[in-house]
Amino acid sequence: MRTLLAALLACCLGLGAISAKTDGFTVLTSEAARRADIAHAARALPDAVLLDERGVSGGLLERLRQDGRIAVVNFIYTRCVSLCLAMGTEYQRLQSDIRRLGLADRVRLLSISFDPADTPDRLDRYARGMHADADIWTFAMAPDAAQLRALLSAFGIVVIPAPYGQYEHNAAYHLASADGRLERIVDLEETELLLDYLQRSGRGPA
């Protein structure tokens, strides 16, 4: 009987630890956790000076405020030969869908590079290669390393240097509001869910 009680106690303690680490069993991975965290409560974004593909400098928060649209943000680097190329294809389709659904006055795309080697000229070449419509899809980089780190942290992006000048990093659709808040994170595979959400949103993510 003592052995049985001890086993039950150990089981309960183990389940309690798992529950604590998974927010009551609602998430099982850090990626799912960051999505659930933002869906539960929007996160204020830090400001960061961005240099866009035209060479124009300006703060992220001011850019969001002046534009007034929901910004679907992703993080890339132009030398990427894997995930970023896949994201580029997804963003090309999303750009077409935004036009097709008449959402261009409410939604825009913003790709931010975390690679210090991505100069405005390089971003411009990349944008042209992606057939980006500057009225919908823009590119930028954060020249200040400390501001970039704060930005990546706020969005929940982890970047790890890899061999041959590459990087390992996570990716998703990040919805930023005009008032500078990260309000939703949607998996890349859930483009239809994202579009449906944007269509139903009168003022931006809730």
Side-chain angles (χ1 to χ4, degrees):
M1 179 61 73
R2 288 181 180 177
T3 302
L4 178 59
L5 289 175
L8 288 173
L9 178 60
C11 181
C12 290
L13 290 174
L15 289 173
I18 293 172
S19 177
K21 288 181 178 295
T22 60
D23 191 20
F25 301 107
T26 59
V27 295
L28 294 175
T29 68
S30 60
E31 277 295 284
R34 77 185 184 110
R35 285 154 176 72
D37 181 51
I38 297 303
H40 178 69
R43 177 182 300 167
L45 293 171
D47 205 5
V49 173
L50 297 181
L51 196 60
D52 67 24
E53 73 270 33
R54 300 167 298 162
V56 177
S57 178
L60 170 65
L61 298 184
E62 182 65 13
R63 286 172 183 264
L64 291 172
R65 186 189 67 78
Q66 287 185 346
D67 185 87
R69 291 176 288 180
I70 301 168
V72 183
V73 183
N74 71 341
F75 289 84
I76 64 159
Y77 67 107
T78 63
R79 294 179 293 117
C80 181
V81 295
S82 55
L83 179 58
C84 298
L85 286 178
M87 279 197 293
T89 300
E90 290 290 325
Y91 265 57
Q92 286 174 328
R93 294 189 187 122
L94 189 54
Q95 177 177 253
S96 296
D97 288 333
I98 288 171
R99 286 200 200 100
R100 176 176 57 84
L101 296 170
L103 295 174
D105 62 335
R106 291 165 48 198
V107 181
R108 71 183 183 111
L109 309 176
L110 173 61
S111 293
I112 301 176
S113 172
F114 48 74
D115 186 352
D118 279 335
T119 61
D121 285 344
R122 191 174 276 185
L123 290 173
D124 182 59
R125 288 194 300 271
Y126 191 78
R128 284 186 277 113
M130 288 291 170
H131 306 290
D133 178 349
D135 290 331
I136 298 176
W137 186 6
T138 57
F139 295 77
M141 57 89 69
D144 184 278
Q147 291 182 354
L148 175 60
R149 285 194 298 272
L151 201 59
L152 293 173
S153 177
F155 277 91
I157 299 296
V158 177
V159 178
I160 302 172
Y164 309 110
Q166 298 290 296
Y167 295 94
E168 298 289 342
H169 62 101
N170 53 334
Y173 298 115
H174 306 84
L175 277 64
S177 64
D179 61 356
R181 296 189 302 164
L182 175 59
E183 297 198 331
R184 190 73 55 167
I185 301 176
V186 179
D187 288 330
L188 292 177
E189 298 81 8
E190 297 182 333
T191 309
E192 293 305 316
L193 176 64
L194 172 66
L195 289 169
D196 179 67
Y197 188 79
L198 292 171
Q199 284 182 280
R200 290 185 291 105
S201 176
R203 59 169 183 81

